[in-house]
Amino acid sequence: MLLTACGFSIGGGTLLAASFTLTGGREARRNLKIGRRCYINQGCVFDALAPIELGDDVALGHGVLITTAAHRIGTAERRAGLVEPKPIRIGHGAWLASRSVILPGVEVGDGAIVAAGAVVTQSVPPNVLVAGVPAKVVREL
């Protein structure tokens, strides 16, 4: 309730196991939208330079990182070039297991599972299990 009073968009019934880290400048809290009945475990990080949307009934394990900040490849003097933020959407009922990483521009489909430690570089279809670095579909659910 306190976060909602501070301008965060958090649906009813959502449980925060502990505080989370939010980065992304002044608009970060407006860019983060969390649906109803979600569960966010401890140590999660949201880099909300662009919009991040969590659907209803989403579960995040320990230490999940969701980052919208991508960089262009720069010159030899500075390889991390200009920032190009890209939005992220996590579908209804999805589960992001511990220490998974969701990179800019990704959409995780409804009912999908991202295995612990997976690095998601491309969008994930609904109702599949992805694992690995980079994450690949392991099986349909």
Side-chain angles (χ1 to χ4, degrees), residues 31 34 38 48 50 58 80 82 84 104 108 114:
N31 280 339
I34 300 173
C38 292
V58 170
L82 295 174
E84 288 185 320
V108 175
V114 176

Coordinates of all heavy atoms in Angstrom, one line a residue, residues 31 34 38 48 50 58 80 82 84 104 108 114:
N31 N 7.4 3.6 -15.0 CA 7.6 2.6 -16.1 C 7.4 1.2 -15.6 O 7.3 0.3 -16.4 CB 9.0 2.8 -16.6 CG 9.2 3.9 -17.6 OD1 8.2 4.3 -18.2 ND2 10.4 4.3 -17.8
I34 N 3.1 -3.6 -12.2 CA 3.1 -5.0 -11.6 C 1.6 -5.3 -11.5 O 0.8 -4.6 -10.9 CB 3.8 -5.0 -10.2 CG1 5.3 -4.6 -10.4 CG2 3.6 -6.4 -9.6 CD1 6.0 -4.5 -9.1
C38 N 0.8 -11.0 -7.9 CA 2.2 -11.4 -8.2 C 3.0 -11.7 -6.9 O 2.6 -11.3 -5.9 CB 2.9 -10.3 -9.0 SG 2.2 -10.0 -10.6
A48 N 14.2 0.1 -15.1 CA 13.0 0.5 -15.8 C 13.3 1.8 -16.6 O 12.5 2.8 -16.4 CB 11.9 0.6 -14.9
A50 N 12.9 2.0 -19.7 CA 11.8 1.8 -20.6 C 10.7 1.0 -19.8 O 11.0 0.5 -18.7 CB 12.1 1.1 -21.9
V58 N 2.2 -13.4 -11.8 CA 3.6 -13.6 -12.2 C 4.4 -13.9 -10.9 O 4.2 -13.2 -9.9 CB 4.2 -12.4 -12.9 CG1 5.7 -12.5 -13.1 CG2 3.5 -12.2 -14.3
A80 N 30.7 0.7 -25.0 CA 29.4 0.9 -24.5 C 28.9 2.2 -25.0 O 29.1 3.2 -24.4 CB 29.3 0.8 -23.0
L82 N 25.7 4.7 -27.0 CA 24.5 5.3 -26.6 C 23.5 4.3 -26.1 O 23.4 3.1 -26.6 CB 23.8 6.1 -27.7 CG 24.6 7.3 -28.2 CD1 23.9 7.9 -29.5 CD2 24.7 8.3 -27.1
E84 N 19.9 2.6 -25.6 CA 18.7 2.4 -26.4 C 17.8 1.6 -25.5 O 17.8 0.3 -25.6 CB 19.0 1.7 -27.7 CG 19.7 2.5 -28.7 CD 19.8 1.7 -30.0 OE1 20.0 0.5 -30.0 OE2 19.6 2.3 -31.1
P104 N 16.7 -6.4 -22.6 CA 15.8 -5.5 -23.3 C 15.0 -6.0 -24.5 O 15.6 -6.8 -25.3 CB 16.8 -4.3 -23.7 CG 17.9 -4.5 -22.7 CD 18.0 -5.9 -22.5
V108 N 8.0 -12.3 -22.4 CA 7.8 -13.6 -22.0 C 6.4 -14.0 -22.0 O 5.5 -13.3 -21.4 CB 8.4 -13.8 -20.5 CG1 8.1 -15.2 -20.0 CG2 9.9 -13.5 -20.5
V114 N 10.9 -19.5 -17.0 CA 12.3 -19.2 -17.3 C 13.1 -19.9 -16.2 O 12.9 -19.5 -15.0 CB 12.6 -17.7 -17.4 CG1 14.0 -17.5 -17.6 CG2 11.7 -17.1 -18.5

